[in-house]
């Protein structure tokens, strides 16, 4: 069920509204665009296939979700849903909440994140650092109703990233992530990517990129890398929006239900990725880059290598582009802890060997 905005009645105060939007825009102007990183994979480069990651970890709040949070705040403000003093509430496994807490503090608004108890302690600490408060539930499936309840109890506004992510960003351009990708690729040897690979939590990124590709008439195709336990792959195959699933163990992507912002008609291909593959790819990619990346970036990397390998087998040339979603420093006690991985994910040795073999052609 789509949540109804808490502040739909009445016009917001023009002075406060204008100041709030000006603060968000000023913050944007202080932030440079994120870097495009070419991956050093000679086995593919020799065959005319280049792989890139757009590094979203360099945003002020450290993840891809910084873009989403900015868009959600501007969307809610311009719709008149948020007024001075309103409590902002979000259902989030962590990264979106970190970014929304940042923008709420920028505007002087209280913020409450509703999240599963399993969310990493590092993300909880970041939310609290930005002045937010955490409200915990036992499972990912409970966050939606709990967020609505908190918003009702506080007289606040439930931001609802899972509904509004696909519509809050201007997909025609206006400095969205897709426009940035293509601008940064202009001087590469294959400037129009053959594939863009993204994960899906809300589905907002695949919707924005997919619409932009069609609007600009590019030949690029969209692949969503979907972790084990997520419902999105089954929904993409069947079109049955009533499907449910257990949910993902890869933090930040994959969902137990079909989210309103996941637009299946914009996705050309789904790649289902086992948890051991996601974590193994995270480890291998961290070694390749000389810096830690998060597990959802590992999921993306698995899909990239599968697509690149298939291109090589067919004799195709071109580029593949994906996202470095966030830094691995947020996951030191979990995905980068061998004991935690063995207990929670399983033995990643065989998956790691397979990924390294695929990297070497």
């Amino acid at each position: 069920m789509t949540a109804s905005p808490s502040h739909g009645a009445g016009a917001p105060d023009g002075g406060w509204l204008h100041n709030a939007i000006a603060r968000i825009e000023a913050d944007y102007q202080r932030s440079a665009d994120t870097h495009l990183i070419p991956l050093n994979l000679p086995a593919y480069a020799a065959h005319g296939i280049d792989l890139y990651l757009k590094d979203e970890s360099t945003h002020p709040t450290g993840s891809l979700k910084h873009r989403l949070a900015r868009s959600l705040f501007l969307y809610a403000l311009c719709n008149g849903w948020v007024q001075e003093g309103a409590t902002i509430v979000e259902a989030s496994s962590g990264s979106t909440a970190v970014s929304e807490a940042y923008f709420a503090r920028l505007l002087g608004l209280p913020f409450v994140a509703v999240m599963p108890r399993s969310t990493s302690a590092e993300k909880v600490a970041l939310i609290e650092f930005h002045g937010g408060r955490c409200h915990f539930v036992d499972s990912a499936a409970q966050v939606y109703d709990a967020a609505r309840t908190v918003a009702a109890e506080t007289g606040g506004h439930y931001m609802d990233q899972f509904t509004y992510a696909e519509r809050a960003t201007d997909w025609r351009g206006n400095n969205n992530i897709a426009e940035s990708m293509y601008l940064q690729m202009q001087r590469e040897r294959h400037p129009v990517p053959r594939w863009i690979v993204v994960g899906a939590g809300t589905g907002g990124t695949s919707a924005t990129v997919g619409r932009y590709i069609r609007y600009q008439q590019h030949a690029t195709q969209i692949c969503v890398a979907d972790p084990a336990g997520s419902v999105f792959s089954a929904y993409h195959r069947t079109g049955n929006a009533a499907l449910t699933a257990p949910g993902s163990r890869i933090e930040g992507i994959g969902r137990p239900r079909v989210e309103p912002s996941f637009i299946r008609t914009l996705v050309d291909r789904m790649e289902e990725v086992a948890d051991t593959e996601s974590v193994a790819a995270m480890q291998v990619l961290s070694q390749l880059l000389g810096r830690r990346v998060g597990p959802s970036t590992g999921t993306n990397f698995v899909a990239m290598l599968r697509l690149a390998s298939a291109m090589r087998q067919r004799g195709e040339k071109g580029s593949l582009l994906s996202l470095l979603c966030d830094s691995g420093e947020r996951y030191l006690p979990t995905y980068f802890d061998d004991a935690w991985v063995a207990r929670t994910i399983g033995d990643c040795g065989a998956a790691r060997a397979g990924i390294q073999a695929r990297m070497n052609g």
Side-chain angles (χ1 to χ4, degrees):
M1 182 178 70
T2 301
S4 58
S6 304
H7 292 273
D13 176 72
W16 181 85
L17 172 64
H18 296 168
N19 182 59
I21 293 173
R23 286 187 182 187
I24 292 174
E25 292 300 289
D27 179 82
Y28 173 75
Q29 293 300 323
R30 291 192 292 267
S31 303
D33 198 4
T34 58
H35 295 169
L36 187 69
I37 302 172
L39 298 182
N40 182 23
L41 297 173
Y44 290 100
H47 290 269
I49 300 171
D50 302 322
L51 284 72
Y52 301 84
L53 291 175
K54 187 164 174 58
D55 185 4
E56 295 294 286
S57 73
T58 58
H59 284 294
T61 54
S63 82
L64 167 67
K65 298 301 186 179
H66 192 85
R67 294 180 188 269
L68 173 59
R70 180 197 296 127
S71 295
L72 287 169
F73 266 85
L74 289 172
Y75 190 72
L77 287 164
C78 292
N79 279 329
W81 297 345
V82 174
Q83 300 179 30
E84 184 174 6
T87 297
I88 303 299
V89 182
E90 184 60 282
S92 170
S93 63
S95 288
T96 301
V98 172
S99 298
E100 287 191 18
Y102 171 92
F103 284 104
R105 185 175 69 170
L106 185 70
L107 304 185
L109 302 176
F111 177 77
V112 180
V114 179
M115 61 178 63
R117 297 185 195 281
S118 59
T119 302
S120 69
E122 285 69 23
K123 288 184 179 178
V124 171
L126 285 169
I127 292 164
E128 294 174 345
F129 171 78
H130 291 299
R133 175 169 67 86
C134 298
H135 178 95
F136 295 103
V137 295
D138 292 327
S139 71
Q142 296 174 328
V143 296
Y144 314 99
D145 289 341
R148 293 186 187 95
T149 298
V150 172
E153 291 174 348
T154 60
H157 172 67
Y158 172 28
M159 198 66 86
D160 195 359
Q161 60 167 326
F162 297 106
T163 295
Y164 296 109
E166 58 90 6
R167 66 196 75 171
T169 300
D170 183 356
W171 49 269
R172 295 173 187 84
N174 192 26
N175 298 303
N176 71 35
I177 191 170
E179 183 179 56
S180 175
M181 286 175 170
Y182 282 91
L183 287 173
Q184 289 179 313
M185 287 290 295
Q186 282 181 342
R187 295 187 181 275
E188 304 303 317
R189 66 171 172 171
H190 304 296
V192 176
R194 174 69 181 82
W195 287 98
I196 291 178
V197 177
V198 299
T202 63
T205 302
S206 58
T208 296
V209 176
R211 287 167 175 159
Y212 182 85
I213 287 169
R214 287 157 177 75
Y215 182 63
Q216 296 294 335
Q217 303 167 58
H218 291 309
T220 309
Q221 289 185 287
I222 289 285
C223 172
V224 167
D226 203 34
S230 172
V231 75
F232 289 132
S233 288
Y235 170 59
H236 188 263
R237 286 194 302 271
T238 66
N240 183 0
L243 290 173
T244 59
S248 167
R249 290 187 293 182
I250 303 302
E251 202 167 300
I253 56 173
R255 299 300 302 167
R257 71 170 198 181
V258 177
E259 303 297 352
S261 282
F262 184 81
I263 312 300
R264 64 188 286 268
T265 51
L266 294 171
V267 177
D268 299 292
R269 185 184 181 97
M270 302 289 297
E271 284 290 335
E272 298 179 48
V273 180
D275 293 337
T276 53
E277 290 183 287
S278 291
V279 174
M282 174 197 78
Q283 296 167 344
V284 171
L285 185 56
S286 294
Q287 292 174 340
L288 179 66
L289 296 176
R291 51 180 287 207
R292 293 185 179 94
V293 302
S296 61
T297 305
T299 310
N300 289 345
F301 190 46
V302 172
M304 291 182 80
L305 288 175
R306 290 178 186 173
L307 293 169
S309 179
M311 286 175 62
R312 178 177 169 177
Q313 291 173 8
R314 293 190 297 264
E316 297 175 2
K317 298 181 180 180
S319 57
L320 299 93
L321 174 57
S322 189
L323 303 174
L324 196 168
C325 305
D326 61 4
S327 167
E329 305 304 318
R330 293 182 172 184
Y331 307 99
L332 295 181
T334 52
Y335 297 90
F336 280 93
D337 180 80
D338 290 341
W340 185 92
V341 169
R343 183 173 65 252
T344 308
I345 304 297
D347 184 359
C348 299
R352 187 161 51 247
I355 291 162
Q356 288 172 330
R358 182 162 278 173
M359 285 173 58
N360 295 328

